[in-house]
Amino acid sequence: MSNIDEIVLTGDRPTGKLHLGHLVGSIQNRVKLQDEASKSFYMIADVQALTDNADNPEKVSKNVIEVALDNLACGINPKKTTMFIQSEIPEIAELTVLFLNLVTLARLKRNPTVKNEMKQKGYGENVPAGFLAYPVSQAADILFCKGNLIPVGEDQLPVIEQVNEIVDDFNRFYGETFSKVKHVVGDTPRLMGTDGNEKMGKSLNNGIYLSDDFETISKKVMSMYTDPKHIHVEDPGQVEGNVVFVYLDIFDPNKSEVEELKKQYKKGGLGDMVIKKRLINVIENLINPIRTKREELAKDPQKIMKILEEGTIEAQKVAKETMAEVKKVMRINYF
Ligand code: ATP
Ligand code: MG
């Protein structure tokens, strides 16, 4: 049953292959919503990826197909979801320029997501203007297709808030044109990194990728931080903040066995190897079908590019309609 009011817009930055954080934070919802919403758009945000990779455009263009493969392997169906590339929709850039006038520099600098990412990247005052303004460009990404339901991870919520401020100002200045945007976060809104960092991120080098093979998964799990005080098997161990247990809680389908293991671990007598081996199998079971499908799809890259080309043509049509409406309400439709 499709809900006629819902237009889903979501996307990834092509800065690397996708990881488990993407799966639980956003992709699972994307897959579900493509059957429920009236329309679904999936955008590969290459322009946004360039805001912090201007010196390395090849990294961005080379990863376009990788993120497409990851989404297709997880169940995004191009017949249900319009998959397109951001830079191919010039109206998004046009809307960005118009929206920039609705936002102050002070507000941009206050956005907690951007602030946090700026800190991570060590930008300080030397932040690229495009990076600082990416929430404005994200408003254009969402509104060019009248998107109103946005599957995102928790890290993006302040950006969605800022998009709604732009919606409010636009409607107030030029008349009711866009509806408010709603986010939808996954069951795990923010997956921790394998290093214990609060977020698994492509740019943070702390991810388990949807394309990782068994050996790589094993190595990553084996190197996970557990409880530094849990030295001997018989020592009581801590479960809170213990990355292996955090992941078991999220990914292990057998919740009661995990509870039992936690009890044993706290009491002492349960070694790290046992829980790590269990986690390796749990993750392998989750990733194996995705990896297999991905490998199959990757054999025909031209087919993937064709999917993106067709989706982009579809998105271009929608963009033209919205742009005409925007120009009309703004009274800049001269000819
Ligand atoms: P980058 O480091 O280049 O920003 P990223 O790993 O943050 O990469 P994005 O392409 O920026 O990935 O994010 C795509 C989507 O996945 C966003 O909706 C984001 O909120 C979500 N997401 C990313 N990482 C996580 C995570 N660790 N947990 C939950 N959701 C996540
Ligand atoms: Mg990100």
Side-chain angles (χ1 to χ4, degrees):
M1 266 277 281
S2 81
N3 184 340
I4 49 157
D5 295 330
E6 285 174 351
I7 300 177
V8 173
L9 179 286
T10 179
D12 300 303
R13 291 155 38 95
T15 49
K17 293 176 180 168
L18 301 185
H19 50 61
L20 287 174
H22 296 108
L23 181 71
V24 293
S26 178
I27 298 176
Q28 285 172 342
N29 275 331
R30 298 174 190 174
V31 173
K32 189 166 82 83
L33 287 169
Q34 66 181 349
D35 288 318
E36 295 170 8
S38 66
K39 266 191 163 182
S40 278
F41 292 89
Y42 167 75
M43 184 185 78
I44 301 182
D46 60 340
V47 176
Q48 191 191 120
L50 284 166
T51 62
D52 55 328
N53 289 285
D55 57 345
N56 198 357
E58 217 186 312
K59 170 179 160 189
V60 172
S61 53
K62 150 180 130 218
N63 277 303
V64 164
I65 190 156
E66 302 296 342
V67 295
L69 281 169
D70 283 319
N71 275 274
L72 290 165
C74 288
I76 290 294
N77 178 346
K79 292 201 177 80
K80 298 177 183 169
T81 298
T82 304
M83 302 176 80
F84 68 96
I85 303 175
Q86 186 185 21
S87 62
E88 293 287 332
I89 315 291
E91 288 81 1
I92 291 181
E94 243 181 305
L95 284 174
T96 303
V97 171
L98 298 173
F99 291 164
L100 274 168
N101 300 328
L102 307 178
V103 176
T104 66
L105 189 56
R107 176 64 180 96
L108 286 171
K109 286 185 175 171
R110 249 193 346 257
N111 185 307
T113 307
V114 178
K115 237 166 128 174
N116 193 16
E117 289 173 348
M118 272 171 62
K119 206 163 127 202
Q120 259 168 29
K121 293 171 203 289
Y123 281 147
E125 280 296 308
N126 292 320
V127 59
F131 187 82
L132 188 68
Y134 93 68
V136 181
S137 143
Q138 208 151 302
D141 302 337
I142 294 171
L143 299 176
F144 96 90
C145 63
K146 303 266 176 110
N148 56 17
L149 191 63
I150 320 297
V152 281
E154 194 181 53
D155 64 297
Q156 288 295 310
L157 296 190
V159 177
I160 300 296
E161 200 180 310
Q162 205 173 346
V163 170
N164 275 326
E165 290 170 18
I166 292 172
V167 168
D168 280 342
D169 280 346
F170 190 96
N171 289 344
R172 192 157 47 85
F173 290 162
Y174 313 119
E176 205 63 30
T177 309
F178 298 113
S179 59
K180 280 274 186 79
V181 165
K182 262 194 330 213
H183 63 260
V184 40
V185 292
D187 294 339
T188 305
R190 185 191 302 248
L191 181 68
M192 180 183 264
T194 52
D195 57 355
N197 185 304
E198 60 164 17
K199 179 179 173 290
M200 182 179 280
K202 285 192 228 97
S203 314
L204 298 170
N205 206 13
N206 62 2
I208 295 180
Y209 290 85
L210 302 173
S211 45
D212 277 349
D213 59 22
F214 180 76
E215 213 190 314
T216 310
I217 296 171
S218 305
K219 266 198 210 135
K220 288 180 178 173
V221 172
M222 281 303 173
S223 68
M224 273 180 186
Y225 166 91
T226 53
D227 170 7
K229 292 198 192 102
H230 187 245
I231 299 160
H232 307 290
V233 174
E234 58 278 9
D235 292 342
Q238 195 167 318
V239 166
E240 293 77 28
N242 182 322
V243 185
V244 179
F245 276 110
V246 169
Y247 279 43
L248 282 174
D249 269 337
I250 295 167
F251 297 110
D252 196 319
N254 196 329
K255 303 290 171 217
S256 58
E257 275 182 31
V258 172
E259 285 313 310
E260 202 45 50
L261 286 170
K262 280 190 196 167
K263 268 190 218 151
Q264 275 183 44
Y265 194 83
K266 281 195 223 168
K267 209 163 74 195
L270 180 62
D272 283 350
M273 282 304 272
V274 177
I275 53 166
K276 284 186 169 175
K277 283 211 167 119
R278 183 179 177 108
L279 182 60
I280 290 169
N281 283 323
V282 164
I283 293 179
E284 169 62 14
N285 286 341
L286 177 68
I287 287 182
N288 185 296
I290 299 173
R291 186 173 63 222
T292 310
K293 191 165 170 204
R294 196 184 192 285
E295 280 165 7
E296 197 51 43
L297 290 163
K299 286 182 191 153
D300 193 352
Q302 274 178 330
K303 193 172 156 190
I304 308 300
M305 292 316 288
K306 189 82 198 151
I307 289 172
L308 295 181
E309 192 183 351
E310 283 171 8
T312 297
I313 291 168
E314 173 70 29
Q316 281 165 347
K317 284 187 207 144
V318 176
K320 284 203 167 57
E321 284 168 24
T322 305
M323 203 60 225
E325 189 186 346
V326 164
K327 285 192 166 175
K328 193 168 167 220
V329 298
M330 289 184 73
R331 308 211 172 16
I332 51 171
N333 56 335
Y334 303 108
F335 310 111

